[in-house]
Amino acid sequence: MIRSAFELTLTAGPEHIDELGHVNNAVWVQWMEQVAVTHWRSVADPAHQEAYFWVVVRHEIDYLRAAFAGDRITARTWVGEAPKGARFDRHVEFTGTDGRLCVRSRTDWAIIDKASGRPIRLPPEVVAPFMAEE
C-alpha cells in the first residue's frame, strides 16, 4: 500500500550552512516540520486546523548525503501506518536535484486539542485525507 504523498521544494541558503560547509542537521529537522505543517494545511479541513495542532513526539533520522548552499531539495512526505491513539507517523525524504537521497526520516506526531491543550485520540475524519492511497 502506497499513501498519497506531498512534495515541497526547498533551496539551501547561506543561513542553512554550518561550519562544515553543508546544510546543518538542525535545518533538516526544521524542514521536516515545515513540510509536515505545509502538508497539513494543504489537505486538512479548515475546521480541523482551527481545532487541533500537532507536536513532535519522536524523530528517527538518517543523514545520508550532504547538501550545500544553492542546492534545490525536494521534500516528499507521506503518512505511515494507521494512527495509534493520539499518535500518527509521517515519513519525509529529501532528495537533491540529481534524485539522490540526502536525508530520510520517520517522525511520530501527536494531535493536541487546542481548547483543552491535551492530546486526544485521532478523529477518523481528521486522518482520512492523509490515509488515501495513490
Side-chain angles (χ1 to χ4, degrees), residues 23 28 30 42-43 47 52 57 72 79-80 83 93 99 101 103 119 132-133:
V23 173
W28 293 106
Q30 291 171 336
S42 74
V43 175
Y52 311 112
V57 179
R72 288 178 53 84
V79 301
E93 291 181 344
L101 193 58
V103 173
E133 298 177 23

Side-chain angles (χ1 to χ4, degrees), residues 11-18 21-23 31 66-73:
T11 301
E15 69 276 14
H16 301 124
I17 305 305
D18 63 17
H22 58 68
V23 173
W31 286 348
F68 304 93
D71 285 356
R72 288 178 53 84
I73 307 295

Side-chain angles (χ1 to χ4, degrees), residues 7-82:
E7 290 187 358
L8 184 67
T9 302
L10 305 159
T11 301
E15 69 276 14
H16 301 124
I17 305 305
D18 63 17
E19 64 274 1
L20 298 175
H22 58 68
V23 173
N24 186 281
N25 288 3
V27 171
W28 293 106
V29 174
Q30 291 171 336
W31 286 348
M32 287 171 207
E33 180 179 16
Q34 181 181 348
V35 71
V37 169
T38 303
H39 185 204
W40 163 250
R41 290 181 179 152
S42 74
V43 175
D45 182 299
H48 297 159
Q49 293 181 50
E50 287 295 319
Y52 311 112
F53 63 93
W54 296 89
V55 295
V56 171
V57 179
R58 181 173 192 271
H59 281 300
E60 290 178 30
I61 305 168
D62 295 314
Y63 298 99
L64 305 168
R65 187 167 84 83
F68 304 93
D71 285 356
R72 288 178 53 84
I73 307 295
T74 299
R76 183 173 186 268
T77 187
W78 66 96
V79 301
E81 300 185 24

Side-chain angles (χ1 to χ4, degrees), residues 3 54-55 57-58 60 79-91 106-112 119-124 126-128 131:
R3 302 268 186 242
W54 296 89
V55 295
V57 179
R58 181 173 192 271
E60 290 178 30
V79 301
E81 300 185 24
K84 296 177 182 134
R87 287 186 176 201
F88 197 32
D89 70 321
R90 173 180 291 278
H91 300 265
R106 180 185 171 280
T107 300
D108 290 341
W109 293 81
I111 192 167
I112 306 294
I120 61 165
R121 181 172 294 282
L122 204 78
V126 171
V127 74
M131 300 302 288

